[in-house]
Amino acid sequence: MSAITPGVSPLSKLRSLTGPRRILLHTLLIGVALLMLYPLLWMLSSSLKPDTEIFTHPGLVPEKVHAANYSEGWSGSGNSFSLYITNSLIVTIGAVIGNVISCSLAAYAFARLEFRGKKILFGVMLGTLMLPMQATLIPQYTIFYNLTWINTFLPLIVPKFLATDAFFIFLMVQFIRSIPRELDQAAMMDGANPFQIYWKIILPLMKPALVTTTIFTFIWTYDDFLSQLVYLQQNDRFTVPLGLTLFLDKTSGSSYGAMFAMSTLALLPTLICFLIFQKRLVEGLATTGMKG
């Protein structure tokens, strides 16, 4: 049984490898990375091929570059593709703001405040994590239909302001529990009320968890297809996932090259978001489980 050397991180152990082991490890990591990147590289390559070559010549290097796919895709679905990107950003930014505000407030209540039924409500909240969204889709649709919200962005944004994502509440609860309660007690002695403690002490210290919530909410909402398909009906309200389906037509033929071109462009917002916040994301994931 090997002893664990204190103060030595797994990364340091990997760097200490020499000779064949290090070469084997790097080869394995490069192979896995290429395997993960291959679908993206194939999509990028396909966006530069004519439709007739996409499936007949599946290699990564196009025999003939067909850059017109990008211009055709940008305006070939009836509307400029910028409209779909704008709609997606409206829905996504609204969902991010709603989740950050509502989930942090709910998490603060569960982690710091004492009230009747707290443990029961927390258990019910965790139980919703195991409830598939398809089970609540019809009741939610009925509610939004009676509110005349169908074919608007409201069903996709308003629920986020009601702390409906239990995953992010649980993530923030775990993070808040790692913050010393002495800070709260010191603020209370200075006359701060619970909301002031949340706003001036807890919230500034929650930046890693807030960034993690922001990134995952952005990606999951931006890539969501089912909810947007259910609630959005008119072409001018479509988001990116729905806009991409307009390039597929079983009767008159599909424009795969244009679809892959717009799919490539559609990756840019999520890629930029991840590159900007990746350091905070790792920090948030590493610290949310420090204290149970």
Side-chain angles (χ1 to χ4, degrees):
M1 188 173 183
S2 59
I4 299 176
T5 305
V8 179
S9 65
L11 184 59
S12 300
K13 292 182 178 180
L14 291 177
R15 288 175 176 173
S16 65
L17 294 177
T18 57
R21 290 186 177 181
R22 187 168 186 174
I23 296 175
L24 179 62
L25 178 62
H26 281 77
T27 303
L28 179 63
L29 292 176
I30 292 173
V32 172
L34 292 176
L35 184 64
M36 297 289 290
L37 290 174
Y38 180 81
L40 296 177
L41 296 176
W42 186 86
M43 181 180 68
L44 177 61
S45 173
S46 299
S47 70
L48 297 172
K49 296 178 181 179
D51 288 346
T52 55
E53 294 184 8
I54 292 177
F55 299 108
T56 57
H57 298 85
L60 294 181
V61 180
E63 293 186 1
K64 181 181 179 181
V65 176
H66 188 68
N69 285 334
Y70 285 86
S71 59
E72 294 171 2
W74 193 259
S75 58
S77 59
N79 289 313
S80 173
F81 203 80
S82 60
L83 174 65
Y84 306 134
I85 295 178
T86 301
N87 291 341
S88 281
L89 291 178
I90 292 173
V91 172
T92 302
I93 293 174
V96 167
I97 295 174
N99 261 352
V100 168
I101 294 175
S102 63
C103 292
S104 62
L105 283 169
Y108 173 71
F110 280 125
R112 286 293 200 258
L113 304 183
E114 297 296 333
F115 52 90
R116 183 177 299 178
K118 172 182 172 179
K119 293 184 178 179
I120 296 176
L121 291 175
F122 189 72
V124 172
M125 183 271 296
L126 291 180
T128 61
L129 287 171
M130 295 175 283
L131 188 66
M133 68 164 293
Q134 291 81 1
T136 59
L137 186 60
I138 295 178
Q140 287 179 351
Y141 183 89
T142 303
I143 293 173
F144 296 138
Y145 179 82
N146 292 330
L147 292 172
T148 65
W149 285 5
I150 303 302
N151 198 38
T152 70
F153 298 146
L154 295 177
L156 304 172
I157 297 177
V158 172
K160 303 298 183 181
F161 285 85
L162 302 177
T164 56
D165 285 332
F167 172 78
F168 297 117
I169 297 175
F170 177 72
L171 182 143
M172 292 186 186
V173 166
Q174 294 300 101
F175 191 91
I176 294 175
R177 286 175 177 173
S178 68
I179 300 175
R181 284 184 176 268
E182 288 77 6
L183 298 175
D184 301 31
Q185 296 169 358
M188 292 176 63
M189 292 179 63
D190 291 336
N193 58 43
F195 183 78
Q196 289 174 327
I197 295 174
Y198 158 79
W199 184 257
K200 295 183 178 181
I201 297 178
I202 301 298
L203 201 60
L205 296 175
M206 286 177 58
K207 286 182 180 179
L210 296 178
V211 170
T212 302
T213 300
T214 297
I215 294 176
F216 279 111
T217 302
F218 188 97
I219 294 174
W220 292 348
T221 305
Y222 187 85
D223 293 339
D224 182 28
F225 176 77
L226 179 60
S227 299
Q228 297 167 10
L229 177 65
V230 169
Y231 295 118
L232 303 178
Q233 299 175 348
Q234 294 180 356
N235 190 299
D236 60 347
R237 299 295 177 94
F238 280 4
T239 54
V240 167
L242 300 182
L244 291 175
T245 63
L246 299 177
F247 295 102
L248 302 177
D249 193 335
K250 295 181 180 180
T251 57
S252 60
S254 301
S255 300
Y256 289 107
M259 183 189 69
F260 288 132
M262 294 303 100
S263 299
T264 302
L265 293 180
L267 285 176
L268 294 180
T270 53
L271 181 62
I272 292 172
C273 178
F274 178 77
L275 292 177
I276 293 175
F277 297 109
Q278 62 175 333
K279 183 178 180 180
R280 288 286 188 178
L281 173 63
V282 175
E283 182 182 352
L285 292 175
T287 55
T288 46
M290 290 176 58
K291 187 176 181 180

